[in-house]
Amino acid sequence: MLASNTQLLSRAARLVVPRSVAARKLSTFTPSYPPLPSFSAPGAARPAFFHSSFHPIAASSSAASSRTAQRSARGASTALALLFGFSASVISLSNADTLKLDAAPAAQDKSLTGVAPDASKQLVVDPDTSLGFPLYLPTPASFKSSSAQDQSKLRLVGLGVRTVSFLRVRVYVAALYIDENKLQERLTRASNDKTLEQNVKELLDDGTAAVIRIVPVRNTDFNHLRDGFIRALQNRLKKAIKDARVQTDSPLESEFQLAIHQIKDSFPRGSVPKGSPLDLVILPTAVNSKPVPASLNFEYDGQVFGQVTPNKDEVQQSSANAVDPAFTAARELALAYFADVGEISTPFKNSVQQGFQPQSIPSLAA
């Protein structure tokens, strides 16, 4: 029995391994990087090298957390700044005696609007180009040679921008001025059954003085403006012949063709700067018959540089046989802007159409 116990103890002794021997024989892990410094303080940040080398998931999560924390900090700072500014505004408002609120800006009015209380100095601003036009046009130089026109007050009826090409490039703004007395008479008996072209035609045939002011919105030259006028007159002549109002090779057509050549020769060379007005002055001729043929003067910088006056003998000769004896370059150039079809400027035509309504001009309303 004793021997068996001794054998058991001997076996147990052989199974027991001393701690020192176990420590020496235990496989250990040797890192391939320099030993990391110890961080005794709790919550101390670890080096970036550790995060990027051995914990990529933890590193990315930590970076995202850092960015979120920064955004939160910035958001908090902004909120505090806004809160501080609002508080300061409330304090300043509470200390003020009165509180003034600015009204919202009014919508832009497309109608003719003056900017001066005195009618003689009042300007009307084109809503598309912001160019200003006087409500009453100063006496043209062409009127000074005729005592009959000295008392005429030319009042603005309408204005609008002229555009070209499909890009709608703005070239100039045109404005129509008409003898105020004749305009008032016309409005009292105006008919809504007639088109704008018919109304303007009857005014001019009745011997009414008028001016179409051309103001470029960009730098241009006399030749460019002249060519536009010539094309408009040629188109009016073609339409008149087509409508049988003018006979081919008639004295009336010859007189009209001569007027076109006079306009070509009268225009000087040179530039017309932006904002410089060119006036087309339409004056009745001294003919005692109706309709009254009109003459055409071109004015620039207060001086007349071109005149187209119908030949009295030709007018009297053609009046008996012509369908439209008052078919002149002066009248047709004006009517080209207000034609029933193919007008030069639609905004200009629409504005003048509105101006022919008595309620649109308070001082002329019946």
Coordinates of all heavy atoms in Angstrom, one line a residue, residues 176-178 182 186 197-212 282-285 290-294 326 328 330-335 338:
L176 N -42.4 108.5 -79.9 CA -43.3 109.3 -80.8 C -43.8 110.5 -80.0 O -44.4 110.4 -78.9 CB -44.5 108.4 -81.3 CG -45.6 109.2 -82.1 CD1 -45.0 109.7 -83.4 CD2 -46.8 108.3 -82.3
Y177 N -43.6 111.7 -80.6 CA -44.2 112.9 -80.1 C -45.1 113.5 -81.1 O -44.8 113.5 -82.3 CB -43.0 113.9 -79.8 CG -42.1 113.5 -78.7 CD1 -41.0 112.7 -78.9 CD2 -42.3 114.1 -77.4 CE1 -40.2 112.3 -77.8 CE2 -41.5 113.7 -76.3 CZ -40.4 112.8 -76.6 OH -39.6 112.5 -75.5
I178 N -46.3 113.9 -80.6 CA -47.3 114.5 -81.5 C -47.8 115.8 -80.9 O -47.8 116.0 -79.7 CB -48.5 113.5 -81.6 CG1 -48.1 112.2 -82.4 CG2 -49.7 114.1 -82.3 CD1 -49.2 111.2 -82.6
K182 N -53.6 118.6 -81.5 CA -54.1 117.7 -82.5 C -54.4 116.3 -81.9 O -55.4 115.7 -82.2 CB -53.2 117.6 -83.7 CG -53.0 118.9 -84.5 CD -54.3 119.2 -85.2 CE -54.2 120.3 -86.2 NZ -53.4 120.0 -87.4
R186 N -58.0 114.4 -81.6 CA -58.1 113.0 -82.2 C -58.7 112.1 -81.2 O -59.5 111.2 -81.5 CB -56.7 112.5 -82.6 CG -56.7 111.2 -83.3 CD -57.5 111.3 -84.7 NE -57.7 110.0 -85.3 CZ -58.4 109.8 -86.4 NH1 -58.9 110.9 -87.0 NH2 -58.5 108.6 -86.9
E197 N -52.2 102.0 -87.2 CA -51.7 102.5 -88.5 C -52.7 103.5 -89.1 O -52.3 104.6 -89.6 CB -51.4 101.4 -89.4 CG -50.8 101.9 -90.8 CD -50.4 100.8 -91.7 OE1 -50.6 99.6 -91.3 OE2 -50.0 101.1 -92.9
Q198 N -54.0 103.1 -89.1 CA -55.0 104.0 -89.6 C -55.1 105.3 -88.8 O -55.3 106.4 -89.4 CB -56.3 103.3 -89.7 CG -56.4 102.1 -90.7 CD -57.6 101.3 -90.6 OE1 -58.3 101.3 -89.6 NE2 -58.0 100.6 -91.7
N199 N -55.1 105.2 -87.5 CA -55.2 106.4 -86.7 C -54.0 107.4 -86.9 O -54.2 108.6 -87.0 CB -55.3 106.0 -85.2 CG -56.7 105.5 -84.9 OD1 -57.7 105.9 -85.4 ND2 -56.7 104.5 -84.0
V200 N -52.8 106.8 -87.0 CA -51.6 107.7 -87.2 C -51.7 108.3 -88.6 O -51.3 109.4 -88.8 CB -50.3 106.9 -86.9 CG1 -49.1 107.7 -87.3 CG2 -50.3 106.4 -85.5
K201 N -52.1 107.5 -89.5 CA -52.2 108.0 -90.9 C -53.1 109.2 -91.0 O -52.8 110.2 -91.7 CB -52.6 106.8 -91.8 CG -52.8 107.2 -93.3 CD -53.3 106.0 -94.1 CE -53.5 106.4 -95.6 NZ -54.7 107.4 -95.7
E202 N -54.3 109.0 -90.4 CA -55.3 110.1 -90.5 C -54.7 111.4 -89.8 O -55.0 112.5 -90.2 CB -56.6 109.7 -89.8 CG -57.3 108.6 -90.7 CD -58.6 108.2 -90.0 OE1 -59.0 108.7 -89.0 OE2 -59.3 107.3 -90.6
L203 N -54.0 111.2 -88.7 CA -53.4 112.4 -88.0 C -52.4 113.1 -88.9 O -52.4 114.3 -89.0 CB -52.7 111.9 -86.7 CG -53.5 111.9 -85.4 CD1 -52.7 111.2 -84.3 CD2 -53.9 113.3 -85.0
L204 N -51.6 112.3 -89.6 CA -50.6 113.0 -90.4 C -51.2 113.6 -91.7 O -50.8 114.6 -92.1 CB -49.5 111.9 -90.8 CG -48.7 111.3 -89.6 CD1 -47.7 110.3 -90.2 CD2 -48.0 112.4 -88.8
D205 N -52.2 112.9 -92.2 CA -52.9 113.4 -93.4 C -53.7 114.7 -93.1 O -54.0 115.5 -94.0 CB -53.8 112.4 -94.0 CG -53.1 111.2 -94.7 OD1 -51.8 111.4 -94.9 OD2 -53.7 110.2 -95.0
D206 N -54.0 114.8 -91.8 CA -54.7 116.0 -91.4 C -53.8 117.2 -91.1 O -54.2 118.3 -90.7 CB -55.5 115.7 -90.1 CG -56.5 116.8 -89.8 OD1 -57.2 117.3 -90.7 OD2 -56.7 117.1 -88.6
G207 N -52.5 117.0 -91.4 CA -51.5 118.1 -91.2 C -51.0 118.2 -89.8 O -50.6 119.3 -89.3
T208 N -50.9 117.1 -89.1 CA -50.4 117.1 -87.7 C -48.8 116.9 -87.7 O -48.3 116.1 -88.4 CB -51.0 115.9 -86.9 OG1 -52.4 116.1 -86.9 CG2 -50.5 115.9 -85.5
A209 N -48.2 117.8 -86.9 CA -46.7 117.7 -86.8 C -46.4 116.6 -85.8 O -47.1 116.4 -84.8 CB -46.2 119.0 -86.3
A210 N -45.3 115.9 -86.1 CA -44.9 114.8 -85.2 C -43.4 114.6 -85.3 O -42.8 115.1 -86.3 CB -45.6 113.5 -85.6
V211 N -42.8 114.0 -84.3 CA -41.4 113.7 -84.2 C -41.2 112.3 -83.7 O -41.9 111.9 -82.7 CB -40.7 114.7 -83.3 CG1 -39.2 114.3 -83.2 CG2 -40.7 116.1 -83.9
I212 N -40.4 111.5 -84.4 CA -39.9 110.2 -83.9 C -38.5 110.4 -83.5 O -37.6 110.6 -84.3 CB -40.1 109.1 -84.9 CG1 -41.6 108.9 -85.3 CG2 -39.5 107.8 -84.4 CD1 -41.8 107.8 -86.3
I282 N -41.5 115.3 -88.7 CA -42.5 115.2 -89.8 C -43.4 116.5 -89.8 O -44.0 116.8 -88.7 CB -43.4 114.0 -89.6 CG1 -42.5 112.7 -89.6 CG2 -44.5 113.9 -90.7 CD1 -43.2 111.5 -89.1
L283 N -43.3 117.3 -90.8 CA -44.0 118.6 -90.9 C -45.0 118.6 -92.1 O -44.7 118.0 -93.1 CB -43.0 119.7 -91.1 CG -42.0 120.0 -89.9 CD1 -41.0 121.0 -90.4 CD2 -42.8 120.5 -88.7
P284 N -46.1 119.2 -91.9 CA -47.1 119.3 -93.0 C -46.6 120.4 -94.0 O -46.0 121.4 -93.6 CB -48.4 119.7 -92.3 CG -48.0 120.4 -91.1 CD -46.7 119.7 -90.6
T285 N -46.8 120.1 -95.3 CA -46.4 121.1 -96.3 C -47.5 122.1 -96.4 O -48.6 121.9 -96.0 CB -46.2 120.4 -97.6 OG1 -47.4 119.7 -98.0 CG2 -45.0 119.4 -97.5
K290 N -56.6 118.5 -98.7 CA -56.5 117.4 -97.9 C -56.6 116.1 -98.8 O -57.3 116.1 -99.7 CB -57.7 117.4 -96.9 CG -57.7 118.5 -95.9 CD -56.5 118.4 -94.9 CE -56.6 119.5 -93.9 NZ -57.7 119.3 -92.9
P291 N -55.8 115.1 -98.4 CA -54.8 115.0 -97.3 C -53.6 115.9 -97.5 O -53.2 116.1 -98.7 CB -54.5 113.6 -97.2 CG -54.7 113.1 -98.6 CD -55.8 113.8 -99.2
V292 N -52.9 116.3 -96.4 CA -51.8 117.2 -96.5 C -50.5 116.3 -96.6 O -50.2 115.6 -95.7 CB -51.7 118.1 -95.3 CG1 -50.5 119.0 -95.4 CG2 -53.0 118.9 -95.1
P293 N -49.8 116.4 -97.7 CA -48.5 115.7 -97.8 C -47.5 116.3 -96.7 O -47.5 117.5 -96.4 CB -48.0 116.0 -99.2 CG -49.2 116.5 -99.9 CD -50.1 117.2 -98.9
A294 N -46.6 115.4 -96.3 CA -45.7 115.8 -95.2 C -44.3 115.8 -95.7 O -43.9 115.1 -96.6 CB -45.8 114.8 -94.0
A326 N -51.2 111.5 -100.6 CA -50.3 111.8 -99.5 C -49.2 110.8 -99.2 O -48.6 110.8 -98.2 CB -51.1 112.1 -98.3
T328 N -46.0 109.8 -99.1 CA -44.7 110.5 -99.0 C -43.7 109.7 -98.2 O -44.2 108.9 -97.3 CB -44.8 111.9 -98.5 OG1 -45.3 111.9 -97.2 CG2 -45.7 112.8 -99.4
A330 N -42.0 110.8 -95.7 CA -42.2 111.3 -94.3 C -43.3 110.4 -93.7 O -43.1 109.9 -92.6 CB -42.5 112.7 -94.3
R331 N -44.4 110.4 -94.3 CA -45.5 109.6 -93.7 C -45.3 108.1 -93.6 O -45.5 107.5 -92.6 CB -46.8 109.9 -94.5 CG -48.1 109.4 -93.7 CD -49.3 109.4 -94.7 NE -49.2 108.3 -95.7 CZ -50.1 108.1 -96.6 NH1 -51.2 108.9 -96.7 NH2 -50.0 107.1 -97.4
E332 N -44.7 107.6 -94.7 CA -44.5 106.1 -94.8 C -43.4 105.7 -93.8 O -43.5 104.5 -93.3 CB -44.2 105.7 -96.2 CG -45.3 105.9 -97.2 CD -46.6 105.2 -96.7 OE1 -46.6 104.0 -96.4 OE2 -47.7 105.9 -96.6
L333 N -42.4 106.5 -93.6 CA -41.4 106.1 -92.6 C -42.0 106.0 -91.2 O -41.7 105.2 -90.4 CB -40.2 107.1 -92.7 CG -39.0 106.7 -91.7 CD1 -38.5 105.3 -92.0 CD2 -37.9 107.7 -91.9
A334 N -42.9 107.0 -90.9 CA -43.5 107.0 -89.6 C -44.5 105.7 -89.5 O -44.5 105.0 -88.5 CB -44.3 108.2 -89.4
L335 N -45.2 105.5 -90.5 CA -46.2 104.4 -90.5 C -45.5 103.0 -90.4 O -46.1 102.0 -90.0 CB -47.1 104.4 -91.7 CG -48.1 105.6 -91.7 CD1 -49.0 105.6 -93.0 CD2 -48.9 105.7 -90.5
F338 N -45.7 101.5 -87.1 CA -47.0 101.2 -86.6 C -47.8 100.4 -87.6 O -49.1 100.4 -87.6 CB -47.8 102.5 -86.2 CG -47.0 103.5 -85.5 CD1 -46.7 104.7 -86.1 CD2 -46.4 103.2 -84.3 CE1 -45.9 105.6 -85.4 CE2 -45.6 104.1 -83.6 CZ -45.4 105.3 -84.2

